[in-house]
Amino acid sequence: MRILILGPQGSGKGTQANLLAAVYRIPHVATGDILREAAARGSELGRRVEPILDRGDLVPDDLMIDLIRERLEREDGFVLDGFPRTLPQAEALDATLDDIGKPLDAVILLEVSDDVATRRLQARAAEEGRADDSPEAIRNRLRLYHELTEAVVARYRSDSVLVAVDGEGSVEEVADQIEGALIRIGVRSR
Ligand code: AMP
């Protein structure tokens, strides 16, 4: 099973992707987690991306594309979270999956308003203290989502595998809606 999960920061992507990974026994490939781990380890990649992450800016496309291509080539199934965030990244993802003959089975879009996303990110800031959950970085990340990532959503929206789900409910409600959507598009049986 190959699933792409899209939605703004604070839409619950990471939480839902973790649940899907457990249900389908597939790895949760989250680019934000990969980058944060690299930064915590202090690897060359980590040192390069840490200031970018802290500001809530985007890591350059070429770097992200190389990273994800190498990772997806190794995996049969996955739930991909945090990539693609720009049109060049989306084009590179489609080309990579095409090359390796592993098309996506489903693209799930979690829809939440900026108000709900901001409130959730502020709550997470209080709990986890992530550097990029500062008020400025939160504003920057949501701005970049609207400016760059919505074009990615539009690209997949014209594709029949995209299902939009209301992400404003509880974790269980959203998970139920995702399950229903996967059944509707024939990816999952009852
Ligand atoms: P996330 O945990 O998905 O919110 O990602 C945390 C941060 O990692 C983002 O704010 C970006 O700085 C960086 N990042 C993650 N994925 C990407 C991507 N696909 N393209 C560029 N930057 C990314």
Side-chain angles (χ1 to χ4, degrees):
M1 174 77 88
R2 287 176 294 272
I3 303 174
L4 169 62
I5 190 156
L6 295 171
Q9 295 74 9
S11 61
K13 272 191 323 271
T15 305
Q16 297 298 332
N18 259 324
L19 294 174
L20 288 164
V23 169
Y24 292 106
R25 297 165 198 268
I26 47 179
H28 173 198
V29 178
T31 47
D33 289 349
I34 296 171
L35 297 170
R36 274 187 295 278
E37 276 161 25
R41 269 203 318 275
S43 66
E44 195 189 322
L45 169 74
R47 282 198 303 275
R48 188 163 161 205
V49 301
E50 192 165 19
I52 304 178
L53 260 64
D54 287 355
R55 288 194 303 272
D57 281 337
L58 292 185
V59 172
D61 282 341
D62 52 350
L63 212 163
M64 292 309 303
I65 288 167
D66 286 350
L67 191 109
I68 215 70
R69 192 192 301 268
E70 189 268 328
R71 179 67 199 264
L72 295 188
E73 275 170 4
R74 283 191 276 134
E75 308 288 3
D76 254 346
F78 51 81
V79 48
L80 182 58
D81 160 15
F83 183 98
R85 268 172 152 93
T86 65
L87 271 183
Q89 291 184 12
E91 284 158 12
L93 176 65
D94 290 353
T96 298
L97 296 179
D98 219 36
D99 276 357
I100 57 180
K102 297 176 183 171
L104 293 170
D105 295 299
V107 180
I108 298 163
L109 170 66
L110 293 185
E111 295 182 303
V112 299
S113 67
D114 276 5
D115 277 354
V116 168
T118 304
R119 269 204 300 279
R120 285 182 179 169
L121 291 171
Q122 283 166 345
R124 188 173 72 185
E127 279 167 27
E128 296 177 19
R130 253 175 68 167
D132 63 350
D133 283 339
S134 69
E136 304 75 44
I138 288 175
R139 265 198 302 280
N140 194 31
R141 287 154 70 211
L142 288 174
R143 178 183 63 79
L144 288 169
Y145 180 81
H146 293 303
E147 270 179 24
L148 298 170
T149 312
E150 268 175 7
V152 173
V153 173
R155 180 185 167 94
Y156 287 107
R157 211 186 264 285
S158 58
D159 207 323
S160 57
V161 292
L162 185 135
V163 284
V165 166
D166 177 0
E168 295 197 351
S170 67
V171 171
E172 293 74 23
E173 283 164 356
V174 177
D176 281 351
Q177 284 205 48
I178 291 177
E179 190 185 339
L182 293 178
I183 291 169
R184 243 186 358 263
I185 63 169
V187 166
R188 185 189 170 111
S189 52
R190 256 171 221 288

Short mmCIF file of all heavy atoms in Angstrom, two decimals, residues 47-107:
data_model
loop_
_atom_site.label_atom_id
_atom_site.label_comp_id
_atom_site.label_asym_id
_atom_site.label_seq_id
_atom_site.Cartn_x
_atom_site.Cartn_y
_atom_site.Cartn_z
N ARG A 47 23.32 19.77 10.01
CA ARG A 47 23.85 21.12 10.26
C ARG A 47 23.38 22.09 9.19
O ARG A 47 23.11 23.25 9.45
CB ARG A 47 25.39 21.08 10.30
CG ARG A 47 25.92 20.54 11.62
CD ARG A 47 27.38 20.92 11.83
NE ARG A 47 28.22 20.45 10.74
CZ ARG A 47 28.75 19.23 10.65
NH1 ARG A 47 28.50 18.35 11.59
NH2 ARG A 47 29.50 18.89 9.62
N ARG A 48 23.24 21.58 7.97
CA ARG A 48 22.82 22.44 6.87
C ARG A 48 21.35 22.85 7.02
O ARG A 48 20.98 23.99 6.74
CB ARG A 48 23.04 21.68 5.55
CG ARG A 48 22.83 22.53 4.36
CD ARG A 48 23.43 21.92 3.11
NE ARG A 48 22.79 22.55 1.97
CZ ARG A 48 22.67 22.02 0.79
NH1 ARG A 48 23.17 20.83 0.55
NH2 ARG A 48 22.07 22.67 -0.18
N VAL A 49 20.51 21.90 7.46
CA VAL A 49 19.07 22.20 7.44
C VAL A 49 18.55 22.81 8.75
O VAL A 49 17.47 23.39 8.75
CB VAL A 49 18.22 20.95 7.08
CG1 VAL A 49 18.62 20.41 5.73
CG2 VAL A 49 18.30 19.87 8.14
N GLU A 50 19.30 22.70 9.84
CA GLU A 50 18.76 23.13 11.14
C GLU A 50 18.25 24.57 11.14
O GLU A 50 17.12 24.83 11.57
CB GLU A 50 19.79 22.91 12.24
CG GLU A 50 19.16 23.06 13.62
CD GLU A 50 20.02 22.51 14.74
OE1 GLU A 50 21.24 22.34 14.52
OE2 GLU A 50 19.46 22.27 15.81
N PRO A 51 19.04 25.55 10.64
CA PRO A 51 18.53 26.94 10.66
C PRO A 51 17.29 27.12 9.78
O PRO A 51 16.42 27.93 10.10
CB PRO A 51 19.70 27.78 10.15
CG PRO A 51 20.74 26.84 9.65
CD PRO A 51 20.42 25.47 10.15
N ILE A 52 17.21 26.34 8.72
CA ILE A 52 16.05 26.43 7.81
C ILE A 52 14.80 25.93 8.56
O ILE A 52 13.74 26.55 8.53
CB ILE A 52 16.28 25.58 6.53
CG1 ILE A 52 17.57 26.01 5.83
CG2 ILE A 52 15.07 25.65 5.61
CD1 ILE A 52 17.91 25.19 4.58
N LEU A 53 14.95 24.80 9.24
CA LEU A 53 13.83 24.22 10.01
C LEU A 53 13.36 25.20 11.08
O LEU A 53 12.16 25.41 11.26
CB LEU A 53 14.28 22.92 10.69
CG LEU A 53 13.90 21.60 10.02
CD1 LEU A 53 14.55 21.46 8.67
CD2 LEU A 53 14.28 20.43 10.88
N ASP A 54 14.33 25.79 11.80
CA ASP A 54 13.97 26.68 12.92
C ASP A 54 13.16 27.89 12.45
O ASP A 54 12.27 28.36 13.15
CB ASP A 54 15.23 27.16 13.65
CG ASP A 54 15.83 26.04 14.49
OD1 ASP A 54 15.22 24.95 14.55
OD2 ASP A 54 16.91 26.25 15.06
N ARG A 55 13.46 28.36 11.26
CA ARG A 55 12.71 29.52 10.73
C ARG A 55 11.36 29.11 10.15
O ARG A 55 10.52 29.95 9.85
CB ARG A 55 13.50 30.20 9.60
CG ARG A 55 14.73 30.99 10.03
CD ARG A 55 15.22 31.88 8.90
NE ARG A 55 15.50 31.15 7.67
CZ ARG A 55 16.68 30.59 7.36
NH1 ARG A 55 17.69 30.68 8.20
NH2 ARG A 55 16.85 29.95 6.23
N GLY A 56 11.18 27.80 9.92
CA GLY A 56 9.96 27.34 9.25
C GLY A 56 10.02 27.56 7.76
O GLY A 56 9.00 27.58 7.08
N ASP A 57 11.24 27.73 7.22
CA ASP A 57 11.40 27.84 5.76
C ASP A 57 11.48 26.45 5.14
O ASP A 57 11.53 25.44 5.86
CB ASP A 57 12.69 28.62 5.44
CG ASP A 57 12.49 30.12 5.60
OD1 ASP A 57 11.32 30.57 5.51
OD2 ASP A 57 13.48 30.83 5.81
N LEU A 58 11.55 26.42 3.81
CA LEU A 58 11.62 25.12 3.14
C LEU A 58 13.07 24.79 2.77
O LEU A 58 13.83 25.65 2.32
CB LEU A 58 10.76 25.11 1.87
CG LEU A 58 9.25 25.17 2.08
CD1 LEU A 58 8.52 25.03 0.75
CD2 LEU A 58 8.78 24.09 3.04
N VAL A 59 13.42 23.54 2.95
CA VAL A 59 14.72 23.01 2.53
C VAL A 59 14.71 22.97 1.00
O VAL A 59 13.66 22.69 0.40
CB VAL A 59 14.90 21.60 3.15
CG1 VAL A 59 16.12 20.89 2.62
CG2 VAL A 59 14.93 21.70 4.68
N PRO A 60 15.86 23.26 0.34
CA PRO A 60 15.86 23.31 -1.12
C PRO A 60 15.34 22.01 -1.78
O PRO A 60 15.60 20.91 -1.29
CB PRO A 60 17.34 23.54 -1.47
CG PRO A 60 17.92 24.19 -0.26
CD PRO A 60 17.16 23.65 0.90
N ASP A 61 14.63 22.20 -2.89
CA ASP A 61 14.00 21.07 -3.58
C ASP A 61 14.99 19.97 -3.94
O ASP A 61 14.71 18.79 -3.74
CB ASP A 61 13.34 21.57 -4.88
CG ASP A 61 12.01 22.27 -4.62
OD1 ASP A 61 11.43 22.06 -3.54
OD2 ASP A 61 11.56 23.01 -5.51
N ASP A 62 16.18 20.35 -4.50
CA ASP A 62 17.09 19.30 -4.99
C ASP A 62 17.51 18.38 -3.84
O ASP A 62 17.58 17.15 -4.01
CB ASP A 62 18.30 19.91 -5.73
CG ASP A 62 19.01 20.97 -4.90
OD1 ASP A 62 18.47 21.37 -3.86
OD2 ASP A 62 20.12 21.39 -5.30
N LEU A 63 17.75 18.97 -2.69
CA LEU A 63 18.16 18.17 -1.53
C LEU A 63 17.04 17.22 -1.10
O LEU A 63 17.25 16.02 -0.86
CB LEU A 63 18.48 19.15 -0.41
CG LEU A 63 19.56 18.79 0.59
CD1 LEU A 63 20.00 20.04 1.33
CD2 LEU A 63 19.06 17.77 1.55
N MET A 64 15.81 17.76 -1.05
CA MET A 64 14.66 16.94 -0.63
C MET A 64 14.38 15.82 -1.63
O MET A 64 14.05 14.70 -1.25
CB MET A 64 13.40 17.81 -0.52
CG MET A 64 13.39 18.83 0.58
SD MET A 64 13.80 18.17 2.19
CE MET A 64 12.59 16.89 2.41
N ILE A 65 14.51 16.16 -2.91
CA ILE A 65 14.19 15.17 -3.95
C ILE A 65 15.18 14.00 -3.89
O ILE A 65 14.76 12.83 -3.94
CB ILE A 65 14.18 15.87 -5.34
CG1 ILE A 65 12.94 16.77 -5.43
CG2 ILE A 65 14.21 14.84 -6.47
CD1 ILE A 65 12.96 17.76 -6.60
N ASP A 66 16.48 14.30 -3.72
CA ASP A 66 17.48 13.23 -3.61
C ASP A 66 17.19 12.34 -2.41
O ASP A 66 17.25 11.12 -2.48
CB ASP A 66 18.90 13.81 -3.47
CG ASP A 66 19.40 14.38 -4.79
OD1 ASP A 66 18.73 14.15 -5.81
OD2 ASP A 66 20.44 15.06 -4.78
N LEU A 67 16.85 13.01 -1.29
CA LEU A 67 16.61 12.29 -0.04
C LEU A 67 15.43 11.31 -0.19
O LEU A 67 15.50 10.15 0.21
CB LEU A 67 16.29 13.34 1.02
CG LEU A 67 16.24 12.92 2.47
CD1 LEU A 67 17.47 13.52 3.16
CD2 LEU A 67 15.01 13.47 3.15
N ILE A 68 14.36 11.79 -0.80
CA ILE A 68 13.14 10.98 -0.85
C ILE A 68 13.25 9.90 -1.94
O ILE A 68 12.77 8.79 -1.77
CB ILE A 68 11.89 11.89 -1.03
CG1 ILE A 68 10.70 11.31 -0.27
CG2 ILE A 68 11.50 12.11 -2.45
CD1 ILE A 68 10.84 11.40 1.19
N ARG A 69 13.94 10.23 -3.01
CA ARG A 69 14.11 9.24 -4.08
C ARG A 69 14.86 8.02 -3.54
O ARG A 69 14.43 6.88 -3.71
CB ARG A 69 14.90 9.86 -5.25
CG ARG A 69 14.87 9.00 -6.51
CD ARG A 69 15.89 9.48 -7.52
NE ARG A 69 15.69 10.86 -7.93
CZ ARG A 69 14.96 11.23 -8.98
NH1 ARG A 69 14.35 10.33 -9.70
NH2 ARG A 69 14.86 12.49 -9.30
N GLU A 70 15.93 8.31 -2.83
CA GLU A 70 16.76 7.23 -2.29
C GLU A 70 15.93 6.38 -1.32
O GLU A 70 16.00 5.16 -1.32
CB GLU A 70 17.98 7.88 -1.61
CG GLU A 70 19.07 6.94 -1.17
CD GLU A 70 18.88 6.48 0.26
OE1 GLU A 70 18.35 7.26 1.10
OE2 GLU A 70 19.25 5.33 0.52
N ARG A 71 15.09 7.04 -0.51
CA ARG A 71 14.31 6.32 0.49
C ARG A 71 13.19 5.48 -0.15
O ARG A 71 12.98 4.32 0.18
CB ARG A 71 13.72 7.34 1.47
CG ARG A 71 12.87 6.77 2.55
CD ARG A 71 13.70 5.91 3.51
NE ARG A 71 12.85 5.03 4.27
CZ ARG A 71 12.41 5.30 5.49
NH1 ARG A 71 12.77 6.41 6.10
NH2 ARG A 71 11.62 4.46 6.12
N LEU A 72 12.48 6.07 -1.11
CA LEU A 72 11.33 5.35 -1.68
C LEU A 72 11.76 4.18 -2.55
O LEU A 72 11.03 3.19 -2.67
CB LEU A 72 10.42 6.30 -2.47
CG LEU A 72 9.75 7.38 -1.63
CD1 LEU A 72 8.73 8.16 -2.45
CD2 LEU A 72 9.09 6.82 -0.37
N GLU A 73 12.96 4.29 -3.12
CA GLU A 73 13.46 3.16 -3.93
C GLU A 73 13.60 1.91 -3.07
O GLU A 73 13.51 0.80 -3.56
CB GLU A 73 14.81 3.53 -4.56
CG GLU A 73 14.61 4.30 -5.87
CD GLU A 73 15.90 4.89 -6.42
OE1 GLU A 73 16.97 4.66 -5.82
OE2 GLU A 73 15.83 5.58 -7.44
N ARG A 74 13.84 2.13 -1.76
CA ARG A 74 14.06 0.98 -0.86
C ARG A 74 12.77 0.40 -0.32
O ARG A 74 12.79 -0.67 0.30
CB ARG A 74 14.92 1.45 0.34
CG ARG A 74 16.38 1.60 0.02
CD ARG A 74 17.16 1.80 1.30
NE ARG A 74 17.16 3.18 1.74
CZ ARG A 74 16.93 3.58 2.99
NH1 ARG A 74 16.64 2.70 3.93
NH2 ARG A 74 16.97 4.85 3.31
N GLU A 75 11.64 1.10 -0.44
CA GLU A 75 10.40 0.67 0.22
C GLU A 75 9.36 0.19 -0.79
O GLU A 75 9.17 0.82 -1.83
CB GLU A 75 9.77 1.84 0.99
CG GLU A 75 10.70 2.55 1.96
CD GLU A 75 11.01 1.73 3.20
OE1 GLU A 75 10.55 0.57 3.31
OE2 GLU A 75 11.73 2.25 4.05
N ASP A 76 8.65 -0.88 -0.42
CA ASP A 76 7.57 -1.34 -1.29
C ASP A 76 6.30 -0.57 -0.99
O ASP A 76 5.62 -0.06 -1.87
CB ASP A 76 7.32 -2.83 -1.07
CG ASP A 76 7.86 -3.62 -2.23
OD1 ASP A 76 8.15 -3.00 -3.27
OD2 ASP A 76 7.99 -4.85 -2.10
N GLY A 77 5.98 -0.48 0.29
CA GLY A 77 4.81 0.29 0.71
C GLY A 77 5.27 1.41 1.62
O GLY A 77 6.37 1.35 2.18
N PHE A 78 4.45 2.44 1.76
CA PHE A 78 4.81 3.55 2.65
C PHE A 78 3.61 4.47 2.82
O PHE A 78 2.69 4.45 1.99
CB PHE A 78 5.99 4.37 2.08
CG PHE A 78 5.80 4.82 0.66
CD1 PHE A 78 5.04 5.93 0.35
CD2 PHE A 78 6.38 4.10 -0.39
CE1 PHE A 78 4.86 6.33 -0.97
CE2 PHE A 78 6.20 4.49 -1.71
CZ PHE A 78 5.43 5.60 -2.00
N VAL A 79 3.65 5.26 3.89
CA VAL A 79 2.76 6.42 3.97
C VAL A 79 3.68 7.63 4.04
O VAL A 79 4.50 7.77 4.93
CB VAL A 79 1.71 6.31 5.11
CG1 VAL A 79 2.29 5.89 6.43
CG2 VAL A 79 0.94 7.62 5.25
N LEU A 80 3.57 8.44 3.01
CA LEU A 80 4.49 9.57 2.83
C LEU A 80 3.84 10.83 3.39
O LEU A 80 2.71 11.16 3.05
CB LEU A 80 4.80 9.71 1.34
CG LEU A 80 5.78 10.81 0.91
CD1 LEU A 80 7.13 10.64 1.58
CD2 LEU A 80 5.95 10.78 -0.62
N ASP A 81 4.60 11.53 4.25
CA ASP A 81 4.06 12.68 5.01
C ASP A 81 5.08 13.81 4.97
O ASP A 81 6.23 13.62 5.38
CB ASP A 81 3.78 12.16 6.44
CG ASP A 81 3.67 13.23 7.51
OD1 ASP A 81 3.51 14.42 7.18
OD2 ASP A 81 3.73 12.85 8.70
N GLY A 82 4.69 14.98 4.45
CA GLY A 82 5.60 16.14 4.46
C GLY A 82 6.26 16.40 3.11
O GLY A 82 6.96 17.39 2.95
N PHE A 83 6.06 15.51 2.18
CA PHE A 83 6.63 15.62 0.83
C PHE A 83 5.59 15.09 -0.14
O PHE A 83 4.99 14.05 0.14
CB PHE A 83 7.90 14.76 0.75
CG PHE A 83 8.63 14.86 -0.57
CD1 PHE A 83 9.72 15.69 -0.73
CD2 PHE A 83 8.21 14.10 -1.67
CE1 PHE A 83 10.40 15.78 -1.94
CE2 PHE A 83 8.87 14.19 -2.88
CZ PHE A 83 9.96 15.03 -3.01
N PRO A 84 5.31 15.72 -1.26
CA PRO A 84 5.91 16.94 -1.78
C PRO A 84 5.25 18.21 -1.25
O PRO A 84 4.06 18.24 -0.99
CB PRO A 84 5.67 16.81 -3.28
CG PRO A 84 4.41 15.99 -3.41
CD PRO A 84 4.35 15.11 -2.21
N ARG A 85 6.05 19.27 -1.11
CA ARG A 85 5.53 20.56 -0.65
C ARG A 85 5.57 21.61 -1.75
O ARG A 85 5.04 22.70 -1.56
CB ARG A 85 6.39 21.06 0.51
CG ARG A 85 5.90 20.66 1.89
CD ARG A 85 6.98 21.08 2.86
NE ARG A 85 6.55 21.37 4.18
CZ ARG A 85 6.53 20.50 5.19
NH1 ARG A 85 6.81 19.25 4.99
NH2 ARG A 85 6.19 20.89 6.39
N THR A 86 6.21 21.32 -2.87
CA THR A 86 6.28 22.27 -3.99
C THR A 86 5.99 21.50 -5.29
O THR A 86 6.10 20.27 -5.32
CB THR A 86 7.69 22.89 -4.12
OG1 THR A 86 8.61 21.85 -4.47
CG2 THR A 86 8.15 23.57 -2.83
N LEU A 87 5.67 22.25 -6.35
CA LEU A 87 5.39 21.57 -7.62
C LEU A 87 6.59 20.79 -8.15
O LEU A 87 6.42 19.64 -8.59
CB LEU A 87 4.92 22.58 -8.66
CG LEU A 87 3.41 22.83 -8.71
CD1 LEU A 87 3.08 23.80 -9.83
CD2 LEU A 87 2.62 21.53 -8.88
N PRO A 88 7.84 21.37 -8.12
CA PRO A 88 8.97 20.55 -8.57
C PRO A 88 9.11 19.25 -7.78
O PRO A 88 9.45 18.20 -8.34
CB PRO A 88 10.18 21.47 -8.37
CG PRO A 88 9.62 22.86 -8.43
CD PRO A 88 8.23 22.77 -7.86
N GLN A 89 8.82 19.31 -6.48
CA GLN A 89 8.89 18.08 -5.68
C GLN A 89 7.82 17.08 -6.13
O GLN A 89 8.06 15.87 -6.20
CB GLN A 89 8.70 18.38 -4.18
CG GLN A 89 9.85 19.14 -3.55
CD GLN A 89 9.68 19.35 -2.05
OE1 GLN A 89 8.81 18.76 -1.40
NE2 GLN A 89 10.51 20.21 -1.48
N ALA A 90 6.61 17.59 -6.44
CA ALA A 90 5.53 16.69 -6.87
C ALA A 90 5.88 16.04 -8.21
O ALA A 90 5.66 14.83 -8.42
CB ALA A 90 4.22 17.47 -6.99
N GLU A 91 6.45 16.84 -9.11
CA GLU A 91 6.84 16.28 -10.41
C GLU A 91 7.92 15.22 -10.22
O GLU A 91 7.88 14.15 -10.85
CB GLU A 91 7.35 17.40 -11.33
CG GLU A 91 6.19 18.22 -11.89
CD GLU A 91 6.60 19.62 -12.34
OE1 GLU A 91 7.81 19.90 -12.45
OE2 GLU A 91 5.68 20.44 -12.58
N ALA A 92 8.87 15.49 -9.33
CA ALA A 92 9.95 14.52 -9.08
C ALA A 92 9.39 13.25 -8.44
O ALA A 92 9.83 12.14 -8.77
CB ALA A 92 11.02 15.14 -8.18
N LEU A 93 8.41 13.40 -7.54
CA LEU A 93 7.82 12.21 -6.91
C LEU A 93 7.13 11.36 -7.96
O LEU A 93 7.32 10.14 -8.01
CB LEU A 93 6.82 12.63 -5.82
CG LEU A 93 6.07 11.46 -5.18
CD1 LEU A 93 7.04 10.56 -4.40
CD2 LEU A 93 4.96 11.95 -4.25
N ASP A 94 6.32 11.99 -8.80
CA ASP A 94 5.60 11.23 -9.82
C ASP A 94 6.58 10.51 -10.74
O ASP A 94 6.40 9.35 -11.09
CB ASP A 94 4.70 12.17 -10.65
CG ASP A 94 3.53 12.68 -9.81
OD1 ASP A 94 3.36 12.20 -8.68
OD2 ASP A 94 2.79 13.56 -10.29
N ALA A 95 7.67 11.22 -11.12
CA ALA A 95 8.66 10.62 -12.03
C ALA A 95 9.36 9.44 -11.34
O ALA A 95 9.55 8.38 -11.95
CB ALA A 95 9.68 11.67 -12.46
N THR A 96 9.70 9.62 -10.06
CA THR A 96 10.38 8.53 -9.33
C THR A 96 9.48 7.31 -9.24
O THR A 96 9.90 6.18 -9.52
CB THR A 96 10.74 8.99 -7.88
OG1 THR A 96 11.64 10.08 -7.98
CG2 THR A 96 11.37 7.89 -7.08
N LEU A 97 8.21 7.51 -8.84
CA LEU A 97 7.30 6.37 -8.66
C LEU A 97 7.03 5.69 -10.00
O LEU A 97 6.89 4.47 -10.07
CB LEU A 97 6.00 6.83 -7.98
CG LEU A 97 6.18 7.36 -6.56
CD1 LEU A 97 4.84 7.82 -5.99
CD2 LEU A 97 6.81 6.31 -5.65
N ASP A 98 7.00 6.50 -11.04
CA ASP A 98 6.83 5.97 -12.39
C ASP A 98 8.03 5.10 -12.77
O ASP A 98 7.87 3.97 -13.25
CB ASP A 98 6.76 7.18 -13.34
CG ASP A 98 5.75 6.95 -14.42
OD1 ASP A 98 4.72 6.31 -14.11
OD2 ASP A 98 6.00 7.39 -15.56
N ASP A 99 9.23 5.64 -12.53
CA ASP A 99 10.48 4.93 -12.84
C ASP A 99 10.55 3.57 -12.16
O ASP A 99 10.96 2.58 -12.75
CB ASP A 99 11.69 5.70 -12.27
CG ASP A 99 12.17 6.78 -13.20
OD1 ASP A 99 11.60 6.89 -14.30
OD2 ASP A 99 13.10 7.53 -12.81
N ILE A 100 10.17 3.56 -10.87
CA ILE A 100 10.33 2.33 -10.11
C ILE A 100 9.04 1.48 -10.16
O ILE A 100 8.96 0.44 -9.52
CB ILE A 100 10.80 2.58 -8.66
CG1 ILE A 100 9.85 3.52 -7.88
CG2 ILE A 100 12.20 3.18 -8.62
CD1 ILE A 100 10.28 3.82 -6.44
N GLY A 101 8.05 1.95 -10.92
CA GLY A 101 6.83 1.16 -11.11
C GLY A 101 6.02 0.97 -9.84
O GLY A 101 5.49 -0.11 -9.59
N LYS A 102 5.99 2.01 -9.00
CA LYS A 102 5.24 1.89 -7.73
C LYS A 102 4.28 3.07 -7.60
O LYS A 102 4.54 4.01 -6.86
CB LYS A 102 6.21 1.89 -6.55
CG LYS A 102 7.17 0.70 -6.51
CD LYS A 102 8.14 0.85 -5.35
CE LYS A 102 9.16 -0.27 -5.32
NZ LYS A 102 10.22 -0.03 -4.33
N PRO A 103 3.15 3.05 -8.31
CA PRO A 103 2.22 4.18 -8.26
C PRO A 103 1.56 4.31 -6.88
O PRO A 103 1.50 3.34 -6.12
CB PRO A 103 1.18 3.82 -9.32
CG PRO A 103 1.24 2.35 -9.44
CD PRO A 103 2.66 1.95 -9.16
N LEU A 104 1.06 5.52 -6.59
CA LEU A 104 0.33 5.74 -5.33
C LEU A 104 -1.03 5.06 -5.40
O LEU A 104 -1.70 5.10 -6.44
CB LEU A 104 0.13 7.25 -5.11
CG LEU A 104 1.39 8.06 -4.84
CD1 LEU A 104 1.06 9.57 -4.88
CD2 LEU A 104 2.01 7.68 -3.50
N ASP A 105 -1.47 4.45 -4.31
CA ASP A 105 -2.81 3.87 -4.24
C ASP A 105 -3.82 4.91 -3.81
O ASP A 105 -4.98 4.85 -4.18
CB ASP A 105 -2.83 2.71 -3.24
CG ASP A 105 -1.95 1.57 -3.71
OD1 ASP A 105 -2.22 1.03 -4.79
OD2 ASP A 105 -0.96 1.25 -3.00
N ALA A 106 -3.39 5.87 -2.98
CA ALA A 106 -4.32 6.88 -2.48
C ALA A 106 -3.57 8.14 -2.07
O ALA A 106 -2.44 8.07 -1.58
CB ALA A 106 -5.08 6.34 -1.27
N VAL A 107 -4.22 9.28 -2.30
CA VAL A 107 -3.72 10.56 -1.78
C VAL A 107 -4.81 11.10 -0.86
O VAL A 107 -5.96 11.28 -1.29
CB VAL A 107 -3.46 11.56 -2.93
CG1 VAL A 107 -2.93 12.88 -2.37
CG2 VAL A 107 -2.47 10.99 -3.95
#
